[in-house]
Amino acid sequence: MTLIEKYIYRHILALLTAILAITIAISWCIETLGRINFVTTNGQGLLSFLYLSILFLPTIMVTVIPFALTITIAQSLHILNQNSEIIIIANAAGSRLYIWRPIIALSLLFSIAMFLLANLLVPMARIDMRSIIANANANFLNNVIQEDRFIELQKNLFIKIGKHSQQAGINNIMIADERDKIMNRYYYATNGHIIQQDNSSILVMIEGQLAKRNKINGETSLVKFSSADFDLGTLMSTGGKGYLYPKDQYLSTLLNYPKQAAEYKKYVAELHYRLISWLYPLVFAIIALALNTGPITHRDAKSNTALISTAMLVLTIYLLSYVFKNKAETNQNYIIALYLVPIIILFAGQYLYTHARNFSKLFNGLVRNIT
């Protein structure tokens, strides 16, 4: 590694550390405050709340890393242009490789870290989180909740119990689930009990009725059941065992999910998203390099057009990936679209490396005219 590359690498790493720390801290605080009812409603202690909040960190890091890295690269190159260092490298017949190589190497490291986070730490943290919430809700129903009073477990989700029996059972259970945008669901059961299964606590309701009401046309239906299950970790009805979302699963589970399963398409969409999303740090780094590497005049260096261009393009790609993933859950033809943009950018990296100055001038000029 040359002296110039070491200088760029140290500059980016120092700025990246600060940006990552700030963005992760802000995101962590927002997620933690959103779960403050875990203490106030469920009667949990401070240590349980702190452990639950720590479990948010892997998911937050997977979301934050690509954007933090992109902002860092774009801002670092902008500073290098302001200090005329990129112009000096170009006038000294220095190769653009001096700038690209340390940034690409750093992006590859973060891409590998993203893969490990998304497929190892995130599922582990999410499963632990479900277990903690389920146990807290089970303890809340058994010991804390007041009888004959509706309590809001979650927004638009209410539960009321008549009384606790001497056998630690629960009598006269009512659940009002109004979270769905189309259908309201109201459960009533004469009795029930809580069981532990698959790292989750499940409320088993016995001898009851389920009333459904369509919010659009007002149609209602009534179904009698001898037994119904409600997962206290996900707060949703289940088929007799704890429910885990596709994003809660390890990569091995996604790879071996049975084709005949009802939610097979959702698992396939999650699998392909995992296989491509870990490359986003590298993809976004190439975009930032293409739009910010070319030497510019001191007058242009005062403008933030290149930074705006980078942010707009990266955010557009990221949002499109979520749209394609959601579409792929019902139509698997959209899986191709998940791979299309990242692969095009990766293969276009060589062209962008050769023509970065012309590309950045063209795109940044277009953004300048729009804004």
Side-chain angles (χ1 to χ4, degrees):
M1 184 178 290
T2 64
L3 184 61
I4 296 175
E5 291 172 343
K6 290 181 179 179
Y7 171 75
I8 294 174
Y9 183 82
R10 286 197 300 267
H11 190 282
I12 291 176
L13 200 58
L15 184 59
L16 178 61
T17 302
I19 292 178
L20 268 178
I22 293 171
T23 51
I24 289 175
I26 293 174
S27 301
W28 182 73
C29 287
I30 293 172
E31 288 287 346
T32 302
L33 292 174
R35 292 284 184 174
I36 196 69
N37 65 322
F38 180 76
V39 175
T40 58
T41 302
N42 291 8
Q44 296 300 302
L46 181 60
L47 291 179
S48 297
F49 176 69
L50 289 176
Y51 181 61
L52 180 67
S53 63
I54 290 173
L55 293 176
F56 288 127
L57 287 176
T59 303
I60 292 172
M61 291 175 68
V62 167
T63 305
V64 165
I65 283 175
F67 292 103
L69 183 63
T70 306
I71 294 171
T72 300
I73 294 171
Q75 180 63 24
S76 297
L77 293 174
H78 182 68
I79 293 173
L80 292 175
N81 259 317
Q82 280 187 321
N83 296 336
S84 302
E85 289 164 315
I86 291 180
I87 296 177
I88 293 172
I89 294 173
N91 290 338
S95 172
R96 196 177 285 119
L97 188 62
Y98 292 144
I99 300 173
W100 280 62
R101 188 158 52 192
I103 293 176
I104 293 297
L106 188 63
S107 303
L108 280 172
L109 289 176
F110 274 93
S111 291
I112 294 171
M114 279 270 294
F115 182 85
L116 296 175
L117 278 171
N119 294 290
L120 292 177
L121 290 183
V122 170
M124 186 187 303
R126 291 184 67 89
I127 291 173
D128 283 351
M129 193 186 307
R130 300 288 183 204
S131 179
I132 291 172
I133 294 173
N135 292 334
N137 287 330
N139 179 69
F140 177 66
L141 291 180
N142 277 328
N143 303 312
V144 181
I145 190 171
Q146 298 181 16
E147 297 176 351
D148 292 320
R149 178 184 176 187
F150 273 103
I151 298 295
E152 189 174 16
L153 283 182
Q154 199 179 80
K155 185 178 181 181
N156 296 325
L157 176 65
F158 303 87
I159 188 169
K160 180 176 82 70
I161 63 173
K163 62 179 180 178
H164 294 96
S165 68
Q166 293 181 351
Q167 292 77 22
I170 304 173
N171 295 331
N172 298 326
I173 305 168
M174 294 186 67
I175 298 177
D177 188 355
E178 300 177 347
R179 294 172 296 176
D180 192 277
K181 295 181 180 179
I182 299 177
M183 191 73 67
N184 288 338
R185 294 174 175 83
Y186 304 97
Y187 300 84
Y188 172 77
T190 55
N191 56 77
H193 57 274
I194 296 173
I195 62 173
Q196 298 292 327
Q197 188 173 356
D198 294 336
N199 296 322
S200 186
S201 297
I202 297 176
L203 172 62
V204 181
M205 296 176 285
I206 301 172
E207 298 298 333
Q209 296 177 339
L210 167 61
K212 297 181 180 180
R213 181 181 180 276
N214 192 302
K215 294 181 179 180
I216 299 176
N217 54 29
E219 292 183 357
T220 59
S221 62
L222 186 65
V223 178
K224 292 185 177 181
F225 58 82
S226 58
S227 177
D229 307 297
F230 203 79
D231 188 345
L232 296 176
T234 58
L235 296 177
M236 63 182 294
S237 180
T238 71
K241 62 179 182 179
Y243 180 84
L244 293 176
Y245 295 102
K247 57 186 176 183
D248 299 332
Q249 304 287 1
Y250 289 98
L251 184 62
S252 58
T253 304
L254 297 176
L255 288 169
N256 298 301
Y257 199 73
K259 292 184 178 180
Q260 64 272 17
E263 295 189 323
Y264 175 71
K265 289 183 178 180
K266 291 183 179 180
Y267 277 74
V268 171
E270 177 66 24
L271 171 62
H272 288 283
Y273 182 75
R274 294 262 193 100
L275 293 178
I276 196 64
S277 61
W278 69 280
L279 288 173
Y280 280 133
L282 179 59
V283 171
F284 293 170
I286 292 175
I287 294 173
L289 282 165
L291 295 179
N292 296 273
T293 302
I296 57 178
T297 63
H298 182 71
R299 182 179 183 181
D300 289 335
K302 296 180 180 180
S303 172
N304 290 324
T305 304
L307 294 174
I308 297 173
S309 303
T310 304
M312 288 175 56
L313 192 54
V314 165
L315 185 60
T316 300
I317 293 173
Y318 197 81
L319 292 176
L320 282 175
S321 69
Y322 265 102
V323 172
F324 293 148
K325 179 195 173 186
N326 291 333
K327 293 288 187 181
E329 291 179 355
T330 54
N331 185 351
Q332 293 191 347
N333 291 328
Y334 281 94
I335 290 175
I336 300 174
L338 274 175
Y339 290 90
L340 194 59
V341 174
I343 287 177
I344 288 175
I345 293 175
L346 288 175
F347 275 99
Q350 179 62 37
Y351 177 84
L352 296 177
Y353 165 73
T354 308
H355 302 82
R357 177 177 173 81
N358 295 330
F359 179 80
S360 60
K361 289 179 64 177
L362 176 64
F363 193 86
N364 292 333
L366 179 62
V367 172
R368 190 182 296 111
N369 292 332
I370 294 175
T371 57

